[in-house]
Amino acid sequence: MKAFYTNNNGLVEIQKWTSNCWIHIESPTESDKNYLLEELQLPEAFYNDIEDIDERPRIEIEDGWTLIIMRIPIKSGDVKIPFHTVPLGIIFKEDICVTISFYKTEIIKDFVAYSQRKNIDIEDNFNLVLRLLLSSSVWYLKYLKQINHKIKLAEDNLEKSIKNEELQALLQIEKCFVFFITSLKANDVLFQRIKNLKAHKANYDPELLEDVEIELNQAQDTANIYNNILTGMMDAYASVISNNMNNIMKQMTSISIILMIPTLIASLYGMNVPNGLEESKYGIWILLLISIILSSFGVFLFKRRRWF
């Protein structure tokens, strides 16, 4: 999907390219690729770098073209990993500015709508990069709230019954935190590099820089806090599972001891030696009564928890 945007008290979509407009391409097709590489003459190496899902945030300049890659959060649609991060590439030179994402994301649509609500005009390419960094940080926080809600649901399920499914759900959430924390740290490093570029440092909006830094730090702190809570909760449930296993083993041991009493009595009086009851017609009933009494006493002690 290819879209063109221009400034008009906020970003407004237009039908074709004009000088200094912003081109956004999402999930590019072969025709989109040809448009970028043949008509706009974008470096193919930049295009291939953005296509790599594991590409790390960075800034690179080649033949007058500037490539900036940041990591943005998305809903993956994968049940095992519901949230992921993917690269968003910004390539610009003179009057050409292109953003490329090989995955569908909610960020761009929301970013355009926000610029229209607030009547925000994009001053230059680096201003666009900073605002996209700001928008991505806001979306990290939105998704972190959704992840935290999933943690609470998993916690409620664990309180009712501890099964593999509930523990696996927590492990999947933990993977999301790994992706988020790693990507946010890399975005922060990218932001610091952009912030300290000598050629553009004097042109930055100080308030925008402050907003980006605040949102990035808040997203990182929130991700770390939620991750620490999840780690502590999983450690606590691991202890609960271990304690429950110990209690079950105690109960099984106690039951085996109780069941051993009738077996012991039957073994002793079943030996082929004189025992005083071999001639009695009530011998079997006496032994049964003794077994029942001793077993009942064992059950009583077991219930009173005096054995362990």
Side-chain angles (χ1 to χ4, degrees), residues 57-152:
R58 71 177 194 276
I59 180 171
E60 183 177 339
I61 300 174
E62 180 181 313
D63 297 329
W65 289 96
T66 300
L67 167 68
I68 296 177
I69 297 178
M70 65 180 70
R71 302 286 299 188
I72 60 174
I74 63 167
K75 281 187 177 181
S76 64
D78 186 353
V79 177
K80 294 183 178 179
I81 307 177
F83 298 94
H84 207 328
T85 64
V86 296
L88 173 68
I90 304 100
I91 305 174
F92 54 86
K93 177 183 180 181
E94 298 174 354
D95 60 344
I96 298 174
C97 179
V98 183
T99 57
I100 305 172
S101 172
F102 282 83
Y103 303 87
K104 290 185 177 180
T105 173
E106 300 176 84
I107 292 177
I108 300 300
K109 185 177 180 180
D110 177 73
F111 173 67
V112 172
Y114 177 78
S115 71
Q116 293 172 356
R117 289 196 307 270
K118 299 294 184 179
N119 297 324
I120 297 173
D121 284 336
I122 306 301
E123 298 172 4
D124 53 40
N125 295 327
F126 279 97
N127 186 271
L128 174 64
V129 172
L130 291 173
R131 292 192 180 278
L132 286 173
L133 270 174
L134 176 61
S135 182
S136 69
S137 300
V138 171
W139 275 93
Y140 273 110
L141 289 169
K142 288 182 180 180
Y143 286 146
L144 282 169
K145 290 180 181 178
Q146 295 181 32
I147 293 174
N148 189 44
H149 180 66
K150 288 181 176 291
I151 293 175
K152 291 180 180 178

Side-chain angles (χ1 to χ4, degrees), residues 151 174 177-178 181 222-232:
I151 293 175
E174 189 174 34
F177 280 128
V178 172
I181 292 172
T222 303
N224 286 322
I225 289 170
Y226 287 167
N227 186 52
N228 291 337
I229 291 172
L230 177 61
T231 302

Side-chain angles (χ1 to χ4, degrees), residues 50-64:
I50 300 169
E51 189 176 9
D52 183 4
I53 190 173
D54 296 320
E55 195 68 32
R56 308 313 305 159
R58 71 177 194 276
I59 180 171
E60 183 177 339
I61 300 174
E62 180 181 313
D63 297 329

Side-chain angles (χ1 to χ4, degrees), residues 20-38:
N20 294 314
C21 78
W22 166 35
I23 309 169
H24 175 65
I25 296 180
E26 190 171 90
S27 302
T29 61
E30 192 63 28
S31 62
D32 293 332
K33 181 178 180 181
N34 292 334
Y35 173 76
L36 292 172
L37 301 183
E38 295 177 9

